Amino acid sequence: MANYQAILEETYNAFRDIQAGEVASYIPELAKANAKHFAIALMTVDGQLFSVGDAQQAFTIQSMSKPFTYGMALEDWGRVEIFKKVAVEPVGISFNSINLDSKGRPPNPMLNAGAIALADMIKGASLPEKINRLLAMMRRYMGHDVHLDASVFTSERQTGFRNIAIANLLRSGKIIEGEIEEALDFYFQQCSLLVTCNDLAGMAAALANNGLHPKTGERVLKEENVSDVLSVMYTCGMYDSSGEWAYNVGIPAKSGVSGGIFGVVPKRMGIAVFSPPLNEQGHSERGLKVFEALSEKLCLHIFDDCTER
Ligand code: GLN
């Protein structure tokens, strides 16, 4: 087995001084993030965790929550019903785009529009019940209690005019059938859950391990839904740079505006990077570089032949 700890440290040192990018500020509370924070974590499918840097630093999960709630919606409804409301098309548009497809559906569940539509669909008799189901699922993915950053949640709720517009558009087209406020509150809360880089590596490893968490042995997602989630992450997880990512890095992944990116290497490992300064598309600058380097060093690209390494 490769010396993962040494490879993570070498990669961390190679990129620790990069200063490119800007911390997200369109959600006022996120502007307070520390641009210096930097961590890389990796968990193998047999549950070994390796990490370097600020891997225990908590930050909000943001759009990295979308694959998990997509999995939840699939389990609630099945892929046929979900497909009626949210398509699975990579469309090369930014995460907060208001564009819908010719049937009025959000193009895919990794965009804000897709995730907001799914927030309306998650089953539960009331919003608190839906949130409790979300927390219970995230607890299984993380292997410990889950907390919400109340100030980020409030900040986004007060300033999320674009997401509010998207929700209204979806309601007018009957993609959202319940209360707009409830769908948005669910969505803003899922984005405000706190994670660490170590947590994300474990969550990714659970997806790499066919839906069984390698550390706790708990099932996080039915095996039959894992490939649906990973396919959508692979084709749409990096929004308008998904193609470039698939080409250069070659693994299903998801980024968030808090500066995290996690990637799933099926049957091998989960990897997460945290570094808040972002590029124009909303991806962590250092995160992109780290994944490119690790893909090369560890032969991660799913179409590469790794038998030699
Ligand atoms: N909560 C953020 C938003 O809706 C998530 C965006 C992201 O992480 N790309 O704008």
Side-chain angles (χ1 to χ4, degrees):
M1 190 174 85
N3 186 341
Y4 291 128
Q5 188 60 37
I7 291 174
L8 293 195
E9 283 169 18
E10 177 187 298
T11 312
Y12 178 88
N13 289 330
F15 298 117
R16 68 183 309 166
D17 296 326
I18 289 187
Q19 292 191 349
E22 297 289 332
V23 168
S25 56
Y26 75 98
I27 300 172
E29 275 300 303
L30 285 188
K32 296 182 183 165
N34 183 346
K36 294 207 171 73
H37 280 153
F38 183 28
I40 315 176
L42 182 159
M43 190 187 282
T44 58
V45 289
D46 59 3
Q48 298 181 70
L49 177 68
F50 305 89
S51 55
V52 57
D54 307 306
Q56 313 255 44
Q57 173 63 45
F59 53 95
T60 53
I61 189 168
Q62 297 299 337
S63 286
M64 290 178 288
S65 59
K66 290 169 180 169
F68 305 110
T69 50
Y70 177 49
M72 193 174 176
L74 282 171
E75 295 202 334
D76 277 357
W77 292 95
R79 65 190 332 225
V80 175
E81 289 305 309
I82 295 294
F83 193 62
K84 288 180 188 162
K85 295 273 184 82
V86 182
V88 289
E89 220 49 64
V91 278
I93 54 179
S94 66
F95 69 88
N96 58 7
S97 170
I98 210 150
N99 292 14
L100 303 178
D101 73 4
S102 58
K103 294 192 174 116
R105 297 173 300 182
N108 70 65
M110 302 294 105
L111 299 166
N112 289 9
I116 294 168
L118 295 178
D120 173 63
M121 294 185 79
I122 298 297
K123 288 190 175 166
S126 61
L127 181 60
E129 204 174 288
K130 288 168 68 161
I131 295 290
N132 283 337
R133 291 190 60 227
L134 169 72
L135 295 174
M137 175 187 71
M138 290 308 231
R139 218 174 281 133
R140 286 195 297 278
Y141 270 105
M142 291 189 213
H144 58 74
D145 253 355
V146 189
H147 302 283
L148 181 119
D149 186 322
S151 24
V152 172
F153 166 66
T154 311
S155 179
E156 187 163 5
R157 190 200 217 184
Q158 287 177 341
T159 58
F161 305 113
R162 200 176 169 95
N163 287 326
I164 295 167
I166 290 171
N168 276 283
L169 185 65
L170 294 173
R171 182 69 182 83
S172 81
K174 297 195 173 57
I175 295 288
I176 288 183
E177 297 183 61
E179 298 293 330
I180 297 170
E181 291 72 21
E182 285 204 2
L184 284 166
D185 265 11
F186 186 92
Y187 172 72
F188 293 145
Q189 291 196 43
Q190 76 176 64
C191 290
S192 304
L193 297 176
L194 286 164
V195 285
T196 67
C197 206
N198 281 344
D199 291 335
L200 281 171
M203 296 159 89
L207 291 174
N209 195 36
N210 274 333
L212 268 192
H213 197 291
K215 263 258 156 69
T216 63
E218 267 208 87
R219 176 148 298 282
V220 296
L221 183 64
K222 281 188 195 142
E223 206 166 338
E224 71 227 48
N225 293 319
V226 172
S227 63
D228 287 344
V229 172
L230 293 183
S231 312
V232 168
M233 284 173 66
Y234 192 65
T235 53
C236 312
M238 302 298 281
Y239 317 120
D240 40 345
S241 46
S242 297
E244 204 177 319
W245 174 276
Y247 192 77
N248 288 331
V249 182
I251 57 171
K254 187 74 207 75
S255 71
V257 287
S258 46
I261 305 179
F262 76 89
V264 177
V265 192
K267 319 280 183 287
R268 289 178 65 194
M269 65 187 79
I271 302 175
V273 183
F274 170 53
S275 165
L278 309 177
N279 71 2
E280 276 188 359
Q281 285 143 325
H283 308 308
S284 166
E285 283 273 9
R286 279 198 285 210
L288 294 173
K289 295 206 161 53
V290 166
F291 267 101
E292 281 186 19
L294 289 180
S295 178
E296 176 66 30
K297 288 181 198 184
L298 297 171
C299 190
L300 303 181
H301 200 299
I302 55 175
F303 301 128
D304 274 351
D305 178 1
C306 300
T307 46
E308 300 272 296
R309 293 183 225 186

